[in-house]
Amino acid sequence: ILRIDVLPKKSDVYIDGTRYGRTPFKTTELIAGEYELRVEKKGYEALEMTFAINEGDTLVISDTLYTIMSLAYGEFELAKKYYYGDSITPQDYDKAFEVFYNIRDNEIPEVYYYIAECYYYGNGVAQDYEQSVEWHTKAAEADVAESQYVLANCYFNAIGVEEDKFLMIENHDFI
């Protein structure tokens, strides 16, 4: 007997690539052997594992799928630890930039700010003011106040863009 109690309920269960149903799930149809399990639901990180079952065994798999957003926030917090360093995590701009960049598509606007700052100061990546402006623009459009300020300064002082002391005021609600 195989029983899968994974939250959230109604997550899809795949065994060896074949969809068997949704959680909570129970089957007595498997013969002794090794199987590949995948449990997935949109918006959640999938559970993937290999399990073995023998004749007469009852195997219960219980777990909770994590939302992709909660995983991204965990990665975001880790990247900030690398960026600033602390008593446990040594400062490592290369790792910080790598993690920030890998989670850039998870709708955390502050990630754009940190990527922009990495480009601005050359922390973990080659200094590139134009890339910095591009990422600060994304963050500013998502209402990240720090990026709005930095972006206004870039336009005012022609850092990575042509000088335009009035562009931010005329075209955006940033300031």
Side-chain angles (χ1 to χ4, degrees), residues 2-14:
L2 172 64
R3 195 171 84 216
I4 302 173
D5 293 320
V6 172
L7 294 175
K9 292 182 188 249
K10 297 185 180 179
S11 296
D12 293 312
V13 175
Y14 294 86

Side-chain angles (χ1 to χ4, degrees), residues 135-153:
W135 287 99
H136 273 305
T137 299
K138 288 181 181 189
E141 289 172 348
D143 294 326
V144 177
E146 295 89 342
S147 281
Q148 293 169 352
Y149 175 79
V150 172
L151 196 54
N153 183 57

